[in-house]
Amino acid sequence: MLISLKVRRRAALILACAAVFVGGAALAQDADWPTSGEDDLRKAISGATLTGEVKAEPPFNFSEFLAPDGKSRGKMIECCKPEQVVSNGMSYAGEWTLEKENLCLAYEGEAEKICWRLQVKGDRFRMTDQKFGRVGEGQIRPGNPDNL
């Protein structure tokens, strides 16, 4: 019984250290992405196309134009075929808004909007779905180069 208790304590210590290490790594990774205000985010994404990948189940690639009037149009395809998004992707449309540091999207046919915490660094973006923990990353391109 004493050995069993020692083994359990050692396992608990290892798990605690792992949790601190993983949590610290997540915080350090998050620190690499600045937090921007709503006005800065609007300048970065309004009238631009976000192209990237969302790490979901299953993961998918997308390209979405965020028009200055609040309309969005895009295409998505199951990962990992970024070169095929525009030619073979499924089309979708909706509306977008910024709510503080969140990009919120309401798609046609969907009952609820989806809000992502948006971070921008240069021409790169990262979106975090705070409800489910999914993360999307990619590039911000000016205009509508994919003709979405």
Side-chain angles (χ1 to χ4, degrees):
M1 188 73 169
L2 186 58
I3 293 173
S4 175
L5 181 60
K6 285 182 181 181
V7 170
R8 283 186 282 181
R9 285 182 181 165
R10 185 174 294 153
L13 180 62
I14 290 169
L15 287 174
C17 290
V20 168
F21 176 76
V22 170
L27 289 175
Q29 184 181 22
D30 198 46
D32 291 342
W33 287 89
T35 299
S36 302
E38 188 175 326
D39 290 339
D40 291 333
L41 292 173
R42 188 174 310 287
K43 287 176 191 171
I45 66 170
S46 182
T49 299
L50 305 183
T51 301
E53 178 183 333
V54 173
K55 292 163 182 42
E57 288 299 325
F60 61 91
N61 295 100
F62 70 95
S63 186
E64 185 164 351
F65 175 61
L66 303 176
D69 66 358
K71 302 286 185 202
S72 71
R73 297 183 304 278
K75 288 192 174 188
M76 63 181 285
I77 194 166
E78 189 173 317
C79 188
C80 294
K81 305 169 188 167
E83 69 284 350
Q84 296 180 19
V85 170
V86 175
S87 60
N88 296 335
M90 178 186 76
S91 296
Y92 59 88
E95 296 181 348
W96 70 274
T97 59
L98 283 173
E99 297 176 9
K100 297 186 180 178
E101 62 190 34
N102 295 302
L103 171 61
C104 296
L105 302 151
Y107 294 115
E108 293 176 355
E110 296 292 324
E112 292 184 33
K113 66 182 174 184
I114 302 167
C115 292
W116 301 80
R117 178 172 179 237
L118 182 64
Q119 295 171 284
V120 173
K121 183 168 48 173
D123 70 344
R124 307 290 301 165
F125 71 89
R126 181 168 93 172
M127 308 181 322
T128 307
D129 176 343
Q130 296 177 30
K131 187 174 182 180
F132 298 106
R134 296 179 294 222
V135 174
E137 293 188 12
Q139 182 178 20
I140 301 170
R141 299 180 297 150
N144 187 4
D146 295 333
N147 216 15
L148 298 166

